[in-house]
Protein backbone atom coordinates (compact mmCIF):
# COMPACT_ATOMS: atom_id res chain seq x y z
CA UNK A 1 0.00 0.00 0.00
CA UNK A 2 1.40 3.39 -0.97
CA UNK A 3 1.76 6.26 1.50
CA UNK A 4 -1.33 8.52 1.81
CA UNK A 5 0.59 11.55 0.51
CA UNK A 6 3.50 11.35 -1.93
CA UNK A 7 4.85 14.65 -3.28
CA UNK A 8 7.65 14.20 -5.82
CA UNK A 9 9.72 16.97 -7.37
CA UNK A 10 6.92 19.52 -7.45
CA UNK A 11 7.66 22.89 -9.03
CA UNK A 12 5.16 25.71 -9.25
CA UNK A 13 5.64 28.91 -11.17
CA UNK A 14 3.06 31.62 -11.73
CA UNK A 15 3.00 34.63 -14.02
CA UNK A 16 2.89 37.95 -12.19
CA UNK A 17 2.58 41.55 -13.29
CA UNK A 18 1.66 43.08 -16.63
CA UNK A 19 4.45 41.31 -18.53
CA UNK A 20 3.70 37.94 -16.95
CA UNK A 21 7.07 37.63 -15.23
CA UNK A 22 7.60 34.10 -13.90
CA UNK A 23 7.69 33.74 -10.15
CA UNK A 24 8.69 30.44 -8.58
CA UNK A 25 6.52 29.46 -5.62
CA UNK A 26 7.73 25.89 -5.13
CA UNK A 27 10.95 24.24 -6.22
CA UNK A 28 11.58 20.47 -6.26
CA UNK A 29 9.27 19.90 -3.30
CA UNK A 30 9.35 16.23 -2.29
CA UNK A 31 8.12 14.48 0.83
CA UNK A 32 6.07 11.50 1.91
CA UNK A 33 3.42 11.27 4.63
CA UNK A 34 3.14 7.68 5.82
CA UNK A 35 -0.11 6.09 6.97
CA UNK A 36 -1.13 6.73 10.56
CA UNK A 37 1.42 9.51 11.11
CA UNK A 38 0.76 13.06 12.27
CA UNK A 39 3.00 15.32 10.26
CA UNK A 40 3.67 18.95 11.04
CA UNK A 41 4.27 21.06 7.94
CA UNK A 42 6.36 23.89 9.24
CA UNK A 43 7.68 27.11 7.79
CA UNK A 44 7.60 30.85 8.22
CA UNK A 45 4.88 32.97 6.62
CA UNK A 46 5.20 32.89 2.83
CA UNK A 47 7.42 29.79 2.86
CA UNK A 48 4.99 27.85 0.64
CA UNK A 49 2.97 25.79 3.13
CA UNK A 50 -0.50 26.80 1.92
CA UNK A 51 0.58 26.65 -1.73
CA UNK A 52 1.82 23.08 -1.26
CA UNK A 53 -1.39 22.13 0.54
CA UNK A 54 -3.49 23.63 -2.28
CA UNK A 55 -1.64 21.29 -4.65
CA UNK A 56 -2.18 18.31 -2.36
CA UNK A 57 -5.95 18.90 -2.22
CA UNK A 58 -6.13 19.28 -6.01
CA UNK A 59 -6.94 23.00 -6.14
CA UNK A 60 -3.81 23.73 -8.19
CA UNK A 61 -1.70 21.89 -10.76
CA UNK A 62 2.05 21.66 -10.36
CA UNK A 63 4.19 23.09 -13.15
CA UNK A 64 6.34 19.97 -12.83
CA UNK A 65 6.40 16.90 -10.61
CA UNK A 66 3.68 14.61 -9.32
CA UNK A 67 1.38 14.43 -6.33
CA UNK A 68 -0.36 11.21 -5.29
CA UNK A 69 -2.94 11.33 -2.53
CA UNK A 70 -4.37 8.04 -1.22
CA UNK A 71 -2.91 6.37 -4.27
CA UNK A 72 -4.59 8.64 -6.83
CA UNK A 73 -4.69 12.07 -8.40
CA UNK A 74 -6.17 14.58 -5.92
CA UNK A 75 -8.10 16.20 -8.76
CA UNK A 76 -10.26 13.08 -9.00
CA UNK A 77 -13.53 13.26 -7.07
CA UNK A 78 -13.08 9.68 -5.85
CA UNK A 79 -9.83 10.67 -4.09
CA UNK A 80 -11.27 13.87 -2.64
CA UNK A 81 -14.11 11.86 -1.09
CA UNK A 82 -11.52 10.21 1.18
CA UNK A 83 -9.79 13.24 2.69
CA UNK A 84 -10.93 16.19 4.75
CA UNK A 85 -9.49 19.67 4.26
CA UNK A 86 -9.48 22.58 6.65
CA UNK A 87 -8.36 25.91 5.15
CA UNK A 88 -6.13 28.46 6.81
CA UNK A 89 -9.02 30.89 7.33
CA UNK A 90 -12.63 29.89 7.86
CA UNK A 91 -14.01 30.60 4.40
CA UNK A 92 -17.71 30.15 5.12
CA UNK A 93 -20.83 31.68 3.55
CA UNK A 94 -21.83 34.22 6.23
CA UNK A 95 -25.58 34.22 5.62
CA UNK A 96 -26.03 30.46 6.08
CA UNK A 97 -26.59 28.89 9.49
CA UNK A 98 -24.25 26.31 11.04
CA UNK A 99 -26.73 23.56 10.23
CA UNK A 100 -27.15 24.71 6.61
CA UNK A 101 -23.38 24.87 6.05
CA UNK A 102 -22.93 21.35 7.41
CA UNK A 103 -25.86 20.03 5.36
CA UNK A 104 -24.52 21.69 2.22
CA UNK A 105 -21.12 20.04 2.71
CA UNK A 106 -22.79 16.72 3.59
CA UNK A 107 -24.58 16.90 0.24
CA UNK A 108 -21.33 17.80 -1.54
CA UNK A 109 -19.72 14.75 0.11
CA UNK A 110 -22.75 12.66 -0.91
CA UNK A 111 -23.46 11.60 2.69
CA UNK A 112 -26.76 9.82 3.15
CA UNK A 113 -28.77 10.81 6.21
CA UNK A 114 -26.09 13.07 7.74
CA UNK A 115 -28.26 14.19 10.70
CA UNK A 116 -26.59 11.99 13.33
CA UNK A 117 -23.08 12.81 12.11
CA UNK A 118 -23.87 16.54 12.21
CA UNK A 119 -25.19 16.23 15.79
CA UNK A 120 -21.99 14.40 16.84
CA UNK A 121 -19.73 16.97 15.25
CA UNK A 122 -21.55 19.96 16.68
CA UNK A 123 -21.20 18.39 20.15
CA UNK A 124 -17.54 17.66 19.46
CA UNK A 125 -16.63 21.23 18.48
CA UNK A 126 -18.93 22.83 21.06
CA UNK A 127 -21.38 24.46 18.63
CA UNK A 128 -24.49 22.39 19.37
CA UNK A 129 -26.28 25.40 20.84
CA UNK A 130 -25.45 27.52 17.81
CA UNK A 131 -26.74 25.32 15.00
CA UNK A 132 -29.52 27.72 13.98
CA UNK A 133 -27.31 30.84 14.03
CA UNK A 134 -25.79 32.42 10.96
CA UNK A 135 -22.10 31.78 10.54
CA UNK A 136 -21.42 35.46 9.83
CA UNK A 137 -22.29 36.30 13.45
CA UNK A 138 -19.63 33.92 14.81
CA UNK A 139 -16.23 34.87 16.22
CA UNK A 140 -13.21 33.72 14.23
CA UNK A 141 -12.55 30.97 16.76
CA UNK A 142 -16.08 29.60 16.41
CA UNK A 143 -15.79 29.70 12.62
CA UNK A 144 -12.49 27.83 12.87
CA UNK A 145 -14.14 25.13 14.98
CA UNK A 146 -16.96 24.84 12.44
CA UNK A 147 -14.38 24.53 9.66
CA UNK A 148 -12.73 21.68 11.58
CA UNK A 149 -16.15 20.00 11.86
CA UNK A 150 -16.50 20.32 8.08
CA UNK A 151 -13.12 18.63 7.59
CA UNK A 152 -14.22 15.74 9.82
CA UNK A 153 -17.73 15.49 8.32
CA UNK A 154 -17.21 12.57 5.95
CA UNK A 155 -15.04 10.63 8.46
CA UNK A 156 -12.03 10.89 6.14
CA UNK A 157 -9.04 8.61 6.37
CA UNK A 158 -6.69 11.55 5.74
CA UNK A 159 -6.91 15.01 7.28
CA UNK A 160 -5.17 17.96 5.63
CA UNK A 161 -5.29 21.00 7.90
CA UNK A 162 -3.88 24.41 7.08
CA UNK A 163 -3.10 26.30 10.31
CA UNK A 164 -5.87 24.59 12.32
CA UNK A 165 -5.12 26.56 15.51
CA UNK A 166 -5.23 29.95 13.81
CA UNK A 167 -7.46 32.44 15.64
CA UNK A 168 -8.26 30.12 18.55
CA UNK A 169 -8.20 31.09 22.22
CA UNK A 170 -6.40 28.75 24.67
CA UNK A 171 -9.59 26.77 25.31
CA UNK A 172 -10.25 26.34 21.59
CA UNK A 173 -6.61 25.39 21.09
CA UNK A 174 -6.87 22.67 23.71
CA UNK A 175 -10.07 21.43 22.10
CA UNK A 176 -8.48 21.18 18.66
CA UNK A 177 -5.39 19.49 20.10
CA UNK A 178 -7.62 16.95 21.83
CA UNK A 179 -9.62 16.29 18.65
CA UNK A 180 -6.44 15.85 16.60
CA UNK A 181 -5.01 13.43 19.19
CA UNK A 182 -8.25 11.42 19.06
CA UNK A 183 -8.15 11.36 15.27
CA UNK A 184 -4.52 10.26 15.32
CA UNK A 185 -5.18 7.51 17.85
CA UNK A 186 -8.09 6.33 15.66
CA UNK A 187 -5.45 5.65 13.00
CA UNK A 188 -6.06 8.63 10.75
CA UNK A 189 -3.20 10.21 8.89
CA UNK A 190 -2.88 13.95 9.56
CA UNK A 191 -0.90 16.60 7.75
CA UNK A 192 -1.15 20.00 9.32
CA UNK A 193 0.71 23.17 8.64
CA UNK A 194 1.61 25.60 11.36
CA UNK A 195 4.12 28.15 12.39
CA UNK A 196 3.11 27.71 16.03
CA UNK A 197 5.82 25.25 16.93
CA UNK A 198 4.50 24.32 20.36
CA UNK A 199 1.48 22.79 18.60
CA UNK A 200 3.74 20.85 16.27
CA UNK A 201 5.90 19.64 19.14
CA UNK A 202 2.84 18.57 21.11
CA UNK A 203 1.08 16.67 18.32
CA UNK A 204 3.41 15.51 15.59
CA UNK A 205 5.29 12.31 14.97
CA UNK A 206 7.08 13.79 11.94
CA UNK A 207 8.03 17.22 10.71
CA UNK A 208 8.49 18.63 7.22
CA UNK A 209 10.13 22.05 7.08
CA UNK A 210 9.71 24.28 4.05
CA UNK A 211 11.60 27.50 3.43
CA UNK A 212 11.32 29.77 0.39
CA UNK A 213 9.44 27.08 -1.54
CA UNK A 214 11.98 24.34 -0.90
CA UNK A 215 11.86 21.45 1.57
CA UNK A 216 14.79 21.86 3.96
CA UNK A 217 14.06 19.12 6.50
CA UNK A 218 11.99 15.96 6.71
CA UNK A 219 12.16 13.55 9.59
CA UNK A 220 10.88 12.52 12.99
CA UNK A 221 9.66 15.27 15.30
CA UNK A 222 11.64 13.73 18.15
CA UNK A 223 14.79 14.00 16.04
CA UNK A 224 14.03 17.58 15.26
CA UNK A 225 13.60 18.61 18.86
CA UNK A 226 15.73 16.07 20.64
CA UNK A 227 19.27 17.29 20.11
CA UNK A 228 20.98 18.12 23.42
CA UNK A 229 22.33 21.65 23.66
CA UNK A 230 25.29 20.81 25.91
CA UNK A 231 23.57 22.29 28.97
CA UNK A 232 21.70 20.83 31.93
CA UNK A 233 18.62 22.32 33.57
CA UNK A 234 18.59 22.27 37.37
CA UNK A 235 15.52 23.09 39.45
CA UNK A 236 16.40 24.28 42.94
CA UNK A 237 14.39 25.87 45.79
CA UNK A 238 14.64 29.63 46.23
CA UNK A 239 16.98 30.20 49.21
CA UNK A 240 16.75 33.98 49.25
CA UNK A 241 19.65 34.92 46.96
CA UNK A 242 19.80 34.44 43.18
CA UNK A 243 22.20 31.66 42.14
CA UNK A 244 25.47 32.92 40.68
CA UNK A 245 28.74 31.41 39.43
CA UNK A 246 30.79 30.81 36.30
CA UNK A 247 29.01 27.62 35.18
CA UNK A 248 25.59 29.25 35.13
CA UNK A 249 24.43 30.17 31.61
CA UNK A 250 20.93 31.29 32.51
CA UNK A 251 18.72 31.48 35.62
CA UNK A 252 15.04 32.35 35.98
CA UNK A 253 12.61 32.23 38.86
CA UNK A 254 9.42 30.17 38.59
CA UNK A 255 7.17 30.69 41.68
CA UNK A 256 9.32 29.45 44.64
CA UNK A 257 12.03 27.70 42.60
CA UNK A 258 14.97 28.66 40.42
CA UNK A 259 15.42 27.11 37.01
CA UNK A 260 19.15 27.23 36.32
CA UNK A 261 20.88 26.31 33.08
CA UNK A 262 24.41 24.96 33.66
CA UNK A 263 27.06 24.29 31.01
CA UNK A 264 28.08 20.66 31.55
CA UNK A 265 28.83 17.71 29.30
CA UNK A 266 27.45 14.97 31.62
CA UNK A 267 24.85 14.66 34.35
CA UNK A 268 27.54 13.91 36.94
CA UNK A 269 29.37 17.08 36.04
CA UNK A 270 26.11 19.06 36.27
CA UNK A 271 25.38 17.64 39.75
CA UNK A 272 28.92 18.43 40.91
CA UNK A 273 28.72 21.99 39.58
CA UNK A 274 25.23 22.55 41.09
CA UNK A 275 26.45 21.39 44.49
CA UNK A 276 29.47 23.65 44.14
CA UNK A 277 27.07 26.57 43.54
CA UNK A 278 25.11 25.69 46.67
CA UNK A 279 21.98 24.57 44.79
CA UNK A 280 19.74 21.93 46.42
CA UNK A 281 18.70 19.93 43.36
CA UNK A 282 14.96 19.15 43.03
CA UNK A 283 15.15 18.02 39.40
CA UNK A 284 17.82 17.67 36.76
CA UNK A 285 17.44 17.11 33.01
CA UNK A 286 19.48 17.68 29.87
CA UNK A 287 18.43 20.79 27.98
CA UNK A 288 17.24 19.97 24.47
CA UNK A 289 16.79 22.18 21.51
CA UNK A 290 13.21 23.34 21.03
CA UNK A 291 11.70 22.89 17.57
CA UNK A 292 11.84 26.65 17.24
CA UNK A 293 15.63 26.67 17.75
CA UNK A 294 15.97 23.79 15.35
CA UNK A 295 13.72 25.41 12.75
CA UNK A 296 15.56 28.69 12.95
CA UNK A 297 18.83 26.78 12.60
CA UNK A 298 17.58 24.84 9.57
CA UNK A 299 16.16 27.91 7.86
CA UNK A 300 19.29 29.88 8.68
CA UNK A 301 21.47 27.19 7.07
CA UNK A 302 19.26 26.92 3.97
CA UNK A 303 19.30 30.65 3.29
CA UNK A 304 23.03 31.15 3.90
CA UNK B 1 -25.53 11.80 -7.06
CA UNK B 2 -24.09 14.67 -9.07
CA UNK B 3 -27.57 16.15 -9.47
CA UNK B 4 -27.91 16.29 -5.68
CA UNK B 5 -24.55 18.04 -5.33
CA UNK B 6 -25.45 20.59 -8.01
CA UNK B 7 -28.93 21.17 -6.57
CA UNK B 8 -27.53 21.66 -3.04
CA UNK B 9 -25.00 24.18 -4.28
CA UNK B 10 -27.66 26.01 -6.29
CA UNK B 11 -30.12 26.07 -3.38
CA UNK B 12 -27.44 27.35 -0.96
CA UNK B 13 -26.77 30.15 -3.45
CA UNK B 14 -30.46 31.07 -3.69
CA UNK B 15 -30.72 31.09 0.12
CA UNK B 16 -27.73 33.41 0.35
CA UNK B 17 -29.22 35.73 -2.25
CA UNK B 18 -32.55 35.87 -0.46
CA UNK B 19 -30.77 36.66 2.79
CA UNK B 20 -28.75 39.43 1.21
CA UNK B 21 -32.14 40.95 0.34
CA UNK B 22 -31.89 40.65 -3.41
CA UNK B 23 -35.70 40.38 -3.38
CA UNK B 24 -35.79 44.10 -2.63
CA UNK B 25 -35.01 44.60 -6.34
CA UNK B 26 -38.09 42.58 -7.23
CA UNK B 27 -40.18 44.56 -4.75
CA UNK B 28 -38.98 47.91 -6.14
CA UNK B 29 -39.67 46.71 -9.69
CA UNK B 30 -43.16 45.61 -8.64
CA UNK B 31 -43.96 49.01 -7.13
CA UNK B 32 -42.64 50.68 -10.30
CA UNK B 33 -44.88 48.45 -12.44
CA UNK B 34 -48.03 49.29 -10.50
CA UNK B 35 -47.13 52.99 -10.61
CA UNK B 36 -46.55 52.78 -14.37
CA UNK B 37 -49.89 50.99 -14.86
CA UNK B 38 -51.72 53.83 -13.16
CA UNK B 39 -49.84 56.47 -15.17
CA UNK B 40 -50.30 54.75 -18.57
CA UNK B 41 -53.96 54.19 -17.92
CA UNK B 42 -54.50 57.94 -17.71
CA UNK B 43 -52.11 58.92 -20.50
CA UNK B 44 -52.80 56.53 -23.35
CA UNK B 45 -56.51 56.75 -24.10
CA UNK B 46 -57.55 53.12 -24.16
CA UNK B 47 -54.13 51.73 -25.18
CA UNK B 48 -52.78 51.71 -21.63
CA UNK B 49 -52.85 47.92 -21.40
CA UNK B 50 -50.83 47.42 -24.57
CA UNK B 51 -48.31 50.11 -23.63
CA UNK B 52 -47.96 48.63 -20.18
CA UNK B 53 -47.32 45.17 -21.67
CA UNK B 54 -44.57 46.56 -23.92
CA UNK B 55 -42.91 48.77 -21.33
CA UNK B 56 -43.51 46.42 -18.40
CA UNK B 57 -42.14 43.29 -20.07
CA UNK B 58 -39.14 45.20 -21.49
CA UNK B 59 -38.45 46.65 -18.05
CA UNK B 60 -38.71 43.24 -16.37
CA UNK B 61 -36.51 41.57 -19.00
CA UNK B 62 -33.84 44.26 -18.59
CA UNK B 63 -33.97 44.20 -14.80
CA UNK B 64 -33.83 40.41 -14.51
CA UNK B 65 -31.06 40.06 -17.10
CA UNK B 66 -28.94 42.67 -15.30
CA UNK B 67 -29.70 41.03 -11.96
CA UNK B 68 -28.74 37.58 -13.30
CA UNK B 69 -25.48 38.95 -14.71
CA UNK B 70 -24.50 40.88 -11.59
CA UNK B 71 -25.43 38.08 -9.20
CA UNK B 72 -23.59 35.44 -11.25
CA UNK B 73 -20.43 37.53 -11.52
CA UNK B 74 -20.36 38.48 -7.85
CA UNK B 75 -21.18 34.95 -6.68
CA UNK B 76 -18.40 33.35 -8.70
CA UNK B 77 -15.68 36.00 -8.39
CA UNK B 78 -16.34 36.58 -4.69
CA UNK B 79 -16.20 32.86 -3.97
CA UNK B 80 -12.92 32.57 -5.84
CA UNK B 81 -11.41 35.71 -4.30
CA UNK B 82 -12.53 34.84 -0.75
CA UNK B 83 -11.42 31.23 -1.29
CA UNK B 84 -14.84 29.75 -0.50
CA UNK B 85 -14.48 28.10 -3.92
CA UNK B 86 -11.32 26.26 -2.75
CA UNK B 87 -13.22 24.72 0.15
CA UNK B 88 -16.15 23.73 -2.05
CA UNK B 89 -14.01 22.31 -4.84
CA UNK B 90 -11.88 20.38 -2.32
CA UNK B 91 -15.02 18.28 -1.87
CA UNK B 92 -15.70 15.40 -4.28
CA UNK B 93 -17.25 17.84 -6.72
CA UNK B 94 -16.14 18.22 -10.33
CA UNK B 95 -15.39 21.76 -11.46
CA UNK B 96 -18.11 21.47 -14.10
CA UNK B 97 -20.58 20.71 -11.30
CA UNK B 98 -19.49 23.83 -9.43
CA UNK B 99 -20.20 25.87 -12.56
CA UNK B 100 -23.59 24.17 -12.98
CA UNK B 101 -24.38 24.77 -9.31
CA UNK B 102 -23.71 28.47 -9.65
CA UNK B 103 -25.77 28.55 -12.85
CA UNK B 104 -28.51 26.76 -10.92
CA UNK B 105 -28.52 29.67 -8.48
CA UNK B 106 -29.03 32.06 -11.41
CA UNK B 107 -31.85 29.85 -12.76
CA UNK B 108 -33.53 29.98 -9.34
CA UNK B 109 -33.22 33.74 -9.13
CA UNK B 110 -34.41 34.35 -12.70
CA UNK B 111 -37.42 32.05 -12.38
CA UNK B 112 -38.36 33.47 -8.97
CA UNK B 113 -38.09 37.06 -10.25
CA UNK B 114 -39.96 36.39 -13.48
CA UNK B 115 -42.72 34.40 -11.80
CA UNK B 116 -43.28 37.23 -9.29
CA UNK B 117 -42.98 40.10 -11.74
CA UNK B 118 -44.75 38.28 -14.61
CA UNK B 119 -47.58 37.41 -12.26
CA UNK B 120 -47.75 41.02 -11.08
CA UNK B 121 -47.75 42.39 -14.64
CA UNK B 122 -50.45 39.91 -15.67
CA UNK B 123 -52.44 40.78 -12.56
CA UNK B 124 -52.22 44.52 -13.19
CA UNK B 125 -53.31 44.05 -16.83
CA UNK B 126 -56.18 41.78 -15.80
CA UNK B 127 -57.39 44.21 -13.15
CA UNK B 128 -57.28 47.08 -15.64
CA UNK B 129 -59.34 45.03 -18.11
CA UNK B 130 -56.58 44.94 -20.76
CA UNK B 131 -56.71 42.08 -23.31
CA UNK B 132 -53.24 40.51 -22.96
CA UNK B 133 -53.02 39.58 -19.29
CA UNK B 134 -52.21 35.90 -19.87
CA UNK B 135 -49.88 36.66 -22.78
CA UNK B 136 -47.86 39.09 -20.63
CA UNK B 137 -47.04 36.29 -18.19
CA UNK B 138 -45.80 34.13 -21.05
CA UNK B 139 -43.76 37.01 -22.50
CA UNK B 140 -41.99 37.58 -19.18
CA UNK B 141 -41.32 33.88 -18.63
CA UNK B 142 -39.92 33.45 -22.15
CA UNK B 143 -37.57 36.38 -21.55
CA UNK B 144 -35.92 34.16 -18.89
CA UNK B 145 -33.83 32.68 -21.72
CA UNK B 146 -32.19 36.07 -22.22
CA UNK B 147 -31.36 36.36 -18.50
CA UNK B 148 -30.00 32.82 -18.41
CA UNK B 149 -27.76 33.44 -21.42
CA UNK B 150 -26.42 36.53 -19.65
CA UNK B 151 -25.89 34.48 -16.47
CA UNK B 152 -23.95 31.83 -18.41
CA UNK B 153 -21.79 34.50 -20.08
CA UNK B 154 -21.21 36.15 -16.68
CA UNK B 155 -20.13 32.84 -15.17
CA UNK B 156 -17.80 32.19 -18.12
CA UNK B 157 -16.02 35.50 -17.51
CA UNK B 158 -16.32 35.26 -13.71
CA UNK B 159 -14.43 31.96 -13.41
CA UNK B 160 -11.37 33.39 -15.14
CA UNK B 161 -11.30 37.17 -14.64
CA UNK B 162 -11.75 39.79 -11.95
CA UNK B 163 -15.24 41.04 -11.13
CA UNK B 164 -14.62 44.37 -12.90
CA UNK B 165 -13.38 42.78 -16.12
CA UNK B 166 -16.16 40.19 -16.03
CA UNK B 167 -18.80 42.92 -15.63
CA UNK B 168 -17.26 44.88 -18.51
CA UNK B 169 -17.15 41.91 -20.90
CA UNK B 170 -20.63 40.69 -19.95
CA UNK B 171 -22.18 44.15 -20.33
CA UNK B 172 -20.55 44.57 -23.74
CA UNK B 173 -21.95 41.27 -24.97
CA UNK B 174 -25.36 42.05 -23.45
CA UNK B 175 -25.58 45.43 -25.20
CA UNK B 176 -24.32 44.04 -28.54
CA UNK B 177 -26.63 41.04 -28.16
CA UNK B 178 -29.60 43.34 -27.85
CA UNK B 179 -28.51 45.20 -30.99
CA UNK B 180 -27.98 42.14 -33.21
CA UNK B 181 -31.01 42.89 -35.41
CA UNK B 182 -29.78 46.43 -36.13
CA UNK B 183 -26.25 45.14 -36.69
CA UNK B 184 -27.59 42.47 -39.06
CA UNK B 185 -29.46 45.08 -41.11
CA UNK B 186 -26.36 47.27 -41.34
CA UNK B 187 -24.25 44.33 -42.53
CA UNK B 188 -26.88 43.42 -45.15
CA UNK B 189 -26.67 46.93 -46.55
CA UNK B 190 -22.99 46.21 -47.20
CA UNK B 191 -21.57 49.42 -45.75
CA UNK B 192 -18.54 47.86 -44.09
CA UNK B 193 -16.46 46.95 -47.15
CA UNK B 194 -13.68 44.45 -46.39
CA UNK B 195 -14.72 44.22 -42.74
CA UNK B 196 -18.06 42.65 -43.71
CA UNK B 197 -16.96 38.97 -43.33
CA UNK B 198 -15.47 39.73 -39.92
CA UNK B 199 -18.62 41.53 -38.79
CA UNK B 200 -20.75 38.68 -40.13
CA UNK B 201 -18.70 36.33 -37.95
CA UNK B 202 -19.15 38.56 -34.90
CA UNK B 203 -22.87 38.82 -35.64
CA UNK B 204 -23.17 35.05 -35.83
CA UNK B 205 -21.36 34.52 -32.53
CA UNK B 206 -23.23 37.20 -30.55
CA UNK B 207 -26.34 36.09 -28.68
CA UNK B 208 -29.46 37.12 -30.60
CA UNK B 209 -31.31 38.40 -27.58
CA UNK B 210 -34.30 39.94 -29.44
CA UNK B 211 -35.29 36.34 -30.23
CA UNK B 212 -36.59 36.09 -26.66
CA UNK B 213 -38.80 39.17 -26.85
CA UNK B 214 -42.37 37.99 -27.52
CA UNK B 215 -44.11 41.36 -27.13
CA UNK B 216 -44.76 41.57 -30.93
CA UNK B 217 -47.33 38.80 -30.34
CA UNK B 218 -49.49 41.42 -28.61
CA UNK B 219 -49.38 43.56 -31.76
CA UNK B 220 -50.75 40.95 -34.14
CA UNK B 221 -47.47 39.26 -35.13
CA UNK B 222 -47.94 35.51 -35.07
CA UNK B 223 -45.43 32.88 -34.15
CA UNK B 224 -45.79 29.11 -34.53
CA UNK B 225 -45.06 26.69 -31.67
CA UNK B 226 -42.19 25.32 -33.77
CA UNK B 227 -40.70 28.80 -34.01
CA UNK B 228 -41.00 29.28 -30.26
CA UNK B 229 -39.42 25.87 -29.64
CA UNK B 230 -36.59 26.77 -32.00
CA UNK B 231 -35.94 30.02 -30.12
CA UNK B 232 -36.02 28.19 -26.78
CA UNK B 233 -33.60 25.54 -28.09
CA UNK B 234 -31.29 28.29 -29.35
CA UNK B 235 -31.32 29.92 -25.89
CA UNK B 236 -30.63 26.64 -24.13
CA UNK B 237 -27.83 25.69 -26.54
CA UNK B 238 -26.22 29.13 -26.36
CA UNK B 239 -26.23 29.13 -22.54
CA UNK B 240 -25.04 25.50 -22.55
CA UNK B 241 -22.12 26.33 -24.83
CA UNK B 242 -20.97 29.14 -22.54
CA UNK B 243 -21.35 26.93 -19.48
CA UNK B 244 -19.26 24.24 -21.13
CA UNK B 245 -16.61 26.82 -21.97
CA UNK B 246 -16.80 28.15 -18.40
CA UNK B 247 -16.33 24.64 -16.98
CA UNK B 248 -13.30 24.07 -19.23
CA UNK B 249 -11.83 27.44 -18.24
CA UNK B 250 -12.48 26.86 -14.53
CA UNK B 251 -11.04 23.34 -14.63
CA UNK B 252 -7.71 24.82 -15.76
CA UNK B 253 -7.66 27.54 -13.13
CA UNK B 254 -5.49 27.24 -10.03
CA UNK B 255 -7.28 28.18 -6.83
CA UNK B 256 -4.23 29.25 -4.86
Amino acid sequence: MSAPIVVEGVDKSIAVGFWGRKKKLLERVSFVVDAGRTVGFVGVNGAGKSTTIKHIIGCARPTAGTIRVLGGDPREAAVRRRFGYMPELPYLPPTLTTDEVLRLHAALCVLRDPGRRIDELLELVGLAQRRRERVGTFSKGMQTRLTLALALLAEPELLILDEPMSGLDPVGRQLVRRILREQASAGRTILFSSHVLSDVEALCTDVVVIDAGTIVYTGGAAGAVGEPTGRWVVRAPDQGTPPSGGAIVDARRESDTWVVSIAATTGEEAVRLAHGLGLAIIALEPERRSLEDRLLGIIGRSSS
Amino acid sequence: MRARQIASLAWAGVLQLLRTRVYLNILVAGVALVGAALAFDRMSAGEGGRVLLDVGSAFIALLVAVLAGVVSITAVTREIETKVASVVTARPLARVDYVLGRFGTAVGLVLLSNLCLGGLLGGVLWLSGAPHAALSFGVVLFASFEALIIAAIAIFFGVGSSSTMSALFTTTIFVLGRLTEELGRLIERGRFGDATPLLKGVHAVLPHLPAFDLTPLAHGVTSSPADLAQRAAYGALYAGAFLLAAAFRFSRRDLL
Side-chain angles (χ1 to χ4, degrees), chain B residues 27-38:
Chain B
L27 197 69
V28 169
V31 171
L33 265 180
V34 174
L38 296 172

Side-chain angles (χ1 to χ4, degrees), chain B residues 79-203:
Chain B
E79 285 203 345
I80 293 172
E81 282 160 14
T82 60
K83 304 188 180 183
V84 172
S86 316
V87 182
V88 173
T89 55
R91 293 299 188 190
L93 179 83
R95 296 269 179 112
V96 63
D97 294 343
Y98 175 84
V99 166
L100 291 176
R102 283 288 151 260
F103 183 68
T105 300
V107 172
L109 175 74
V110 166
L111 289 182
L112 183 70
S113 305
N114 279 345
L115 283 172
C116 291
L117 293 172
L120 187 69
L121 180 64
V124 167
L125 287 170
W126 183 71
L127 285 174
S128 61
H132 300 298
L135 176 65
S136 70
F137 189 64
V139 167
V140 170
L141 276 191
F142 201 75
S144 300
F145 282 107
E146 179 188 46
L148 294 178
I149 285 177
I150 296 306
I153 293 170
I155 290 171
F156 170 76
F157 288 118
V159 296
S161 321
S162 68
S163 51
T164 310
M165 294 310 288
S166 303
L168 195 67
F169 293 140
T170 307
T171 307
T172 304
I173 292 185
F174 178 45
V175 172
L176 291 174
R178 283 207 153 199
L179 296 173
T180 44
E181 286 188 346
E182 289 77 0
L183 184 63
R185 277 196 290 272
L186 284 174
I187 292 168
E188 275 174 20
R189 285 179 200 160
R191 292 186 177 171
F192 297 103
D194 292 344
T196 302
L198 177 70
L199 283 171
K200 275 187 175 172
V202 170
H203 182 257

Side-chain angles (χ1 to χ4, degrees), chain A residues 17-270:
Chain A
F18 185 78
W19 303 108
R21 186 175 52 83
K22 289 267 179 210
K23 184 183 177 190
K24 237 176 191 180
L25 300 180
L26 302 175
E27 192 168 4
R28 309 296 300 158
V29 169
S30 299
F31 63 91
V32 172
V33 175
D34 288 318
R37 309 291 287 180
T38 301
V39 178
F41 192 35
V42 179
V44 296
N45 289 332
K49 301 189 295 293
S50 294
T51 304
T52 307
I53 284 179
K54 291 283 172 60
H55 283 79
I56 293 171
I57 63 168
C59 276
R61 285 168 198 264
T63 311
T66 56
I67 295 173
R68 306 289 292 168
V69 176
L70 298 164
D73 183 342
R75 295 176 70 85
E76 291 168 11
V79 172
R80 291 208 299 271
R81 191 164 290 126
R82 295 166 59 200
F83 67 72
Y85 163 62
M86 179 180 176
E88 184 181 1
L89 292 169
Y91 307 117
L92 298 164
T95 53
L96 296 186
T97 65
T98 309
D99 201 52
E100 286 164 349
V101 171
L102 282 160
R103 283 185 186 279
L104 167 65
H105 281 261
L108 295 178
C109 294
V110 204
L111 294 187
R112 292 187 198 288
D113 193 21
R116 202 166 51 84
R117 180 67 183 148
I118 289 174
D119 292 345
E120 279 171 16
L121 285 171
L122 287 175
E123 283 294 333
L124 184 71
V125 300
L127 292 174
Q129 307 301 315
R130 307 265 188 167
R131 66 187 303 158
R132 307 261 175 251
E133 290 179 29
R134 289 190 191 182
V135 171
T137 64
F138 285 5
S139 67
K140 187 165 176 261
M142 287 160 71
Q143 292 190 8
T144 303
R145 280 187 277 152
L146 175 57
T147 313
L148 178 61
L150 290 174
L152 298 171
L153 185 62
E155 300 187 69
E157 54 200 276
L158 167 67
L159 281 167
I160 300 165
L161 315 171
D162 196 355
E163 304 277 2
M165 315 284 185
S166 169
L168 291 173
D169 59 22
V171 177
R173 222 178 184 81
Q174 277 304 318
L175 176 76
V176 173
R177 278 190 185 192
R178 181 172 60 76
I179 291 170
L180 293 187
R181 281 200 188 100
E182 284 169 5
Q183 294 297 317
S185 56
R188 297 213 163 83
T189 308
I190 302 172
L191 171 72
F192 81 88
S193 75
S194 183
H195 54 247
V196 181
L197 300 172
S198 56
D199 293 332
V200 178
E201 281 188 279
L203 294 167
C204 294
T205 52
D206 302 285
V207 178
V208 175
V209 182
I210 187 167
D211 182 42
T214 308
I215 300 295
V216 291
Y217 175 83
T218 57
V225 299
E227 282 183 5
T229 59
R231 298 175 195 163
W232 287 75
V233 179
V234 176
R235 276 184 184 274
D238 183 7
Q239 294 169 336
T241 51
S244 60
I248 294 176
V249 180
D250 184 37
R252 64 178 192 278
R253 219 179 126 163
E254 282 183 7
S255 66
D256 56 351
T257 60
W258 281 96
V259 179
V260 183
S261 181
I262 294 174
T265 49
T266 62
E268 289 79 19
E269 187 187 358

